[in-house]
Amino acid sequence: MQTQNKIFEDVTRLMSNAAGVAHDAKKEFEIAMGGIFERVIAKNNLVTREEFDAVRAMAIQSREENEILQQKIAELEKKVQPVKKT
């Protein structure tokens, strides 16, 4: 019975170590792939998601401001037209 417990302990320890090695390998792979992706992005002049979202937000805000200004211009043009006719 003592030998079976020893075998189970050894197998458990081996599995635990293997899981740790697999986890470390996964981390290293993710770091390596992250570096590759960063180089590809930099080399091809691509933008990150954060940069894209920032520019998109600026474009939306500019569009909204443009619409407001167009409305104000239209209102001013209505006021000016009667003055020009007289």
Side-chain angles (χ1 to χ4, degrees):
M1 194 69 150
Q2 193 67 286
T3 18
Q4 272 188 329
N5 287 340
K6 176 73 172 143
I7 291 173
F8 286 132
E9 287 175 13
D10 289 344
V11 170
T12 303
R13 192 176 312 117
L14 181 64
M15 296 293 277
S16 178
N17 290 342
V21 169
H23 180 70
D24 291 343
K26 179 185 172 203
K27 275 184 168 179
E28 287 185 35
F29 176 77
E30 289 173 349
I31 291 169
M33 291 306 294
I36 290 170
F37 286 136
E38 286 177 11
R39 284 193 298 275
V40 168
I41 288 170
K43 183 178 179 182
N44 293 306
N45 290 329
L46 301 176
V47 296
T48 64
R49 183 66 192 194
E50 292 81 17
E51 292 170 327
F52 175 81
D53 288 341
V55 171
R56 183 173 183 263
M58 289 173 23
I60 290 170
Q61 182 180 0
S62 295
R63 185 177 294 133
E64 291 170 353
E65 291 172 355
N66 190 18
E67 289 173 3
I68 292 169
L69 291 173
Q70 285 177 345
Q71 290 173 354
K72 288 182 180 181
I73 289 171
E75 291 172 9
L76 289 172
E77 285 176 341
K78 286 180 185 177
K79 290 179 182 177
V80 171
Q81 283 179 353
V83 174
K84 284 185 178 179
K85 290 182 181 179
T86 56

